[in-house]
C-alpha cells in the first residue's frame, strides 16, 4: 500500500499495533546552502525543500511527533530502524526515549566508497548510523540468519557499497540507501508476510526489497516526483 502525502497526516489513519518493522530515513536537515563532494566534484549539499530545517515548525517537535505516531503502529515484538548522522542524533535519542522504546543497537554503515573532502582539515566522513529500537524488550531478531552471513556472530559495523547504478534506473534520489542495507535489516527483524512500513519512502528502496523478500509493505512519500519513482519501481 502506497500513500502520497505528509506522514504526520497519514500515520494517524493506520491501525494501531499492526506493523512488524519500520525503517525510517527522515530528513537530516543538512540543506543549508553549503557544499560537498559528489563524483569528485564540488556540489551543493541541498537535497530539496523537504530537508531544509526552516521549512519545519520545529525540528525537535517534528521528530517527537513522527516517532510517537510510528510507535503506536508497532506490534509488541516490532522494532524501528532509523538512519541518521551525528547532526540529528540527539533529537532522535530524546524522541525514542520519550516514546518509551528500548535501545537494541546502533549500527554503523561503513561506506566502501565515501565522497572526498573539500577542505583538508579533518578526517573523511565514511559512515552513517542506523539506530535500532524495539517496542518491548522481546523484539524479534533472526539470530541464525544473521549468523549465516559469514558463519559467525554479526557485528554492529557493516561495510557495504553505495547505491548501484541499476537501483537508480527509475530515477535519482539524493539520499537513496543501497538495497543491500535494507536486505540485511529486513532479514534481521522480520519474517515472510510481515508488514514493513517506511514513512519517508523516497524512491522506494525499502518497498522494493520488502516485495522481493515476500513481505507486505506500506510506504508514505510527500514528494510527487519521488512517489512516482517508487510506484514505478514497485510495479516490477
Amino acid at each position: 500500500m502506497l500513500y502520497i502525502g505528509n506522514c504526520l497526516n497519514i500515520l494517524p489513519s493506520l491501525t494501531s499495533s499492526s506493523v512488524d518493522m519500520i525503517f525510517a530515513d527522515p530528513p537530516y536537515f543538512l540543506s543549508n546552502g553549503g557544499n560537498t563532494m559528489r563524483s569528485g566534484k564540488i556540489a551543493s549539499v541541498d537535497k530539496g525543500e523537504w530537508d531544509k530545517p526552516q521549512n519545519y515548525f520545529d525540528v525537535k517537535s517534528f521528530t517527537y511527533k513522527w516517532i510517537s505516531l510510528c510507535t503506536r503502529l508497532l506490534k509488541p515484538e516490532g522494532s524501528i530502524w532509523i538512519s541518521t548522522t551525528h547532526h540529528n542524533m540527539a533529537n532522535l535519542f530524546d524522541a525514542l526515549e520519550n516514546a518509551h522504546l528500548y535501545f537494541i543497537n546502533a549500527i554503523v554503515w561503513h561506506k566502501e566508497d565515501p565522497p572526498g573532502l573539500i577542505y583538508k582539515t579533518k578526517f573523511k566522513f565514511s559512515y552513517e548510523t542506523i539506530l535500532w529500537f524495539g517496542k518491548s524488550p522481546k523484539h524479534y531478531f533472526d539470530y541464525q540468519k544473521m549468523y549465516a552471513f559469514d558463519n559467525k556472530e554479526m557485528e554492529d559495523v557493516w561495510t557495504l557499497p553505495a547505491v548501484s547504478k541499476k537501483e537508480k534506473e527509475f530515477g535519482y534520489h539524493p539520499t537513496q540507501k543501497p538495497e543491500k542495507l535494507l536486505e540485511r535489516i529486513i532479514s534481521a527483524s522480520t519474517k515472510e508476510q510481515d508488514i514493513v512500513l517506511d514513512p519517508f519512502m523516497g524512491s522506494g528502496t525499502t518497498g522494493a526489497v520488502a516485495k522481493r523478500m515476500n513481505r507486505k509493505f506500506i510506504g508514505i512519500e510527500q514528494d510527487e516526483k519521488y512517489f512516482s519513482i517508487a510506484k514505478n519501481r514497485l510495479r516490477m
Side-chain angles (χ1 to χ4, degrees), residues 105-124:
N105 276 119
I107 303 297
V108 173
W109 166 32
H110 175 234
K111 302 177 183 180
E112 291 182 351
D113 45 4
L117 291 167
I118 299 176
Y119 307 109
K120 314 304 182 185
T121 58
K122 53 191 170 185
F123 298 106
K124 183 163 65 173

Side-chain angles (χ1 to χ4, degrees), residues 57-76:
F57 49 90
D58 179 75
V59 168
K60 187 172 184 177
S61 296
F62 170 74
T63 304
Y64 271 60
K65 182 67 173 176
W66 74 258
I67 286 178
S68 175
L69 292 172
C70 283
T71 300
R72 181 185 69 86
L73 300 178
L74 283 174
K75 294 179 181 179

Side-chain angles (χ1 to χ4, degrees), residues 167 171-173 176 201-205 221 226 229-231 233:
E167 292 170 35
Y172 170 77
H173 190 287
Q176 187 170 334
M201 179 174 62
S203 59
T205 299
E221 174 55 44
Y226 300 133
I229 292 173
K231 186 168 64 172
R233 191 174 175 188

Side-chain angles (χ1 to χ4, degrees), residues 16-215:
S16 296
S17 304
S18 62
V19 172
D20 296 282
M21 192 211 86
I22 297 169
F23 176 79
D25 188 10
Y28 287 6
F29 307 110
L30 296 178
S31 296
N32 56 11
N35 292 319
T36 185
M37 292 292 289
R38 188 177 298 126
S39 301
K41 299 179 181 179
I42 296 177
S44 171
V45 298
D46 289 0
K47 307 294 190 296
E49 294 299 316
W50 52 269
D51 191 54
K52 294 180 179 180
Q54 63 267 29
N55 291 336
Y56 294 80
F57 49 90
D58 179 75
V59 168
K60 187 172 184 177
S61 296
F62 170 74
T63 304
Y64 271 60
K65 182 67 173 176
W66 74 258
I67 286 178
S68 175
L69 292 172
C70 283
T71 300
R72 181 185 69 86
L73 300 178
L74 283 174
K75 294 179 181 179
E77 292 189 0
S79 60
I80 182 170
W81 302 70
I82 305 173
S83 180
T84 186
T85 67
H86 67 277
H87 303 87
N88 195 39
M89 197 173 296
N91 280 336
L92 287 170
F93 265 107
D94 286 347
L96 289 160
E97 291 177 358
N98 184 69
H100 304 293
L101 294 170
Y102 294 82
F103 175 79
I104 304 170
N105 276 119
I107 303 297
V108 173
W109 166 32
H110 175 234
K111 302 177 183 180
E112 291 182 351
D113 45 4
L117 291 167
I118 299 176
Y119 307 109
K120 314 304 182 185
T121 58
K122 53 191 170 185
F123 298 106
K124 183 163 65 173
F125 297 107
S126 64
Y127 76 95
E128 292 183 35
T129 303
I130 299 101
L131 303 177
W132 185 25
F133 277 71
K135 183 75 173 281
S136 76
K138 296 182 179 180
H139 63 278
Y140 176 77
F141 175 55
D142 196 331
Y143 172 87
Q144 295 300 332
K145 187 168 288 187
M146 295 298 100
Y147 190 100
F149 267 83
D150 291 309
N151 289 317
K152 62 180 182 180
E153 292 185 333
M154 186 176 289
E155 298 178 354
D156 55 4
V157 178
W158 301 349
T159 300
L160 297 170
V163 180
S164 70
K165 186 176 181 180
K166 180 174 174 52
E167 292 170 35
K168 301 177 184 178
E169 64 180 324
F170 290 98
Y172 170 77
H173 190 287
T175 64
Q176 187 170 334
K177 297 297 181 286
E179 291 188 4
K180 285 187 178 296
L181 177 67
L182 271 300
E183 286 171 4
R184 192 169 293 191
I185 288 171
I186 292 173
S187 294
S189 53
T190 67
K191 304 178 290 294
E192 289 195 10
Q193 295 300 312
D194 276 358
I195 297 175
V196 175
L197 166 69
D198 189 336
F200 306 96
M201 179 174 62
S203 59
T205 299
T206 307
V209 175
K211 181 180 178 181
R212 188 166 66 242
M213 296 178 67
N214 200 25
R215 271 68 167 173

